[in-house]
Amino acid sequence: MRLALFLALALQTAPADDKAADDAIEAFKTAYKSSSEADRAALVEELAKVIHPKTLAGLGSILATDGPTVRIAAAKGLGTFTDHAKAASAALAAAFPGNGREEAVQVALLQAIGKLGDPGSLPFLHKTFDEKDPAVAKAAIQSAAEMKHSSSIDPLIALLEKLEKAAKATGAGSVTYTAPSGGPIVTAGVDALAKKRVEELLPATLKALQDLTQQKLTNSADFKAWWNRNKATFKPATK
């Protein structure tokens, strides 16, 4: 049955018509009964090659119903549905809360949203900057930067300012980071629980701002001053 699925999918080209999508989904459902999570993930990867609203819906349902490897495969697959970017982004964002205990899945969801590039998903990404898990927040930051939209500049500056304050806060431990583009090396005391978040997010936020604005500034005050001068006329570089 798995071979039949692969043969069916090999005949498809994206975007698929209704019959091609129906045939692929039926073959997928039969082959999906495999007991191996790795096999199911491979089947999901193949199904994602058939670009159609019906396969989009099928992949979206998998984001919350199977093992982490399969969910990640579905997220990555949906990240290729650029012809249906709005619907695919909505499906990915809707699956985010239900994967709260699956860091790798949440990261894959955010990365796929970034690849789709739908501006309507930016408010969700900006909100996710505040996630406590550094890897998840970092993925949101990087995806927002990848989309190269000016509406991300204010949230990124605000985040950078908060991270700078956290780095300066007194507490157990310390954090050392080097600003992108060869900026200064900074060591500051932070609360032990916040140390990892600052270590990972501060340089990631700086890089996101530098990439988005094409400015080699290294702190929130300078970015804020630059943005106040240039907000009215700024146009991000295209992807």
Side-chain angles (χ1 to χ4, degrees), residues 198-214:
V198 176
E199 282 180 332
E200 293 197 22
L201 299 193
L202 212 162
T205 306
L206 273 173
K207 187 177 188 305
L209 276 168
Q210 290 177 347
D211 290 347
L212 182 55
T213 64
Q214 295 298 296

Side-chain angles (χ1 to χ4, degrees), residues 109-199:
L109 294 169
L110 295 167
Q111 290 173 338
I113 289 173
K115 293 183 183 304
L116 289 167
D118 174 45
S121 63
L122 283 167
F124 166 71
L125 291 178
H126 298 161
K127 180 180 178 180
T128 310
F129 291 175
D130 291 328
E131 283 289 315
K132 292 182 179 180
D133 186 318
V136 174
K138 185 176 180 179
I141 292 164
Q142 292 173 332
S143 289
E146 182 179 3
M147 291 171 65
K148 295 188 181 300
H149 198 282
S150 59
S151 66
S152 294
I153 295 177
D154 277 319
L156 284 169
I157 292 175
L159 175 62
L160 181 60
E161 187 172 20
K162 285 193 287 187
L163 291 166
E164 288 169 341
K165 289 179 180 178
K168 293 177 182 177
T170 58
S174 65
V175 57
T176 299
Y177 68 92
T178 303
S181 72
I185 297 176
V186 178
T187 300
V190 294
D191 181 87
L193 294 177
K195 179 179 179 180
K196 182 176 175 62
R197 193 171 191 276
V198 176
E199 282 180 332

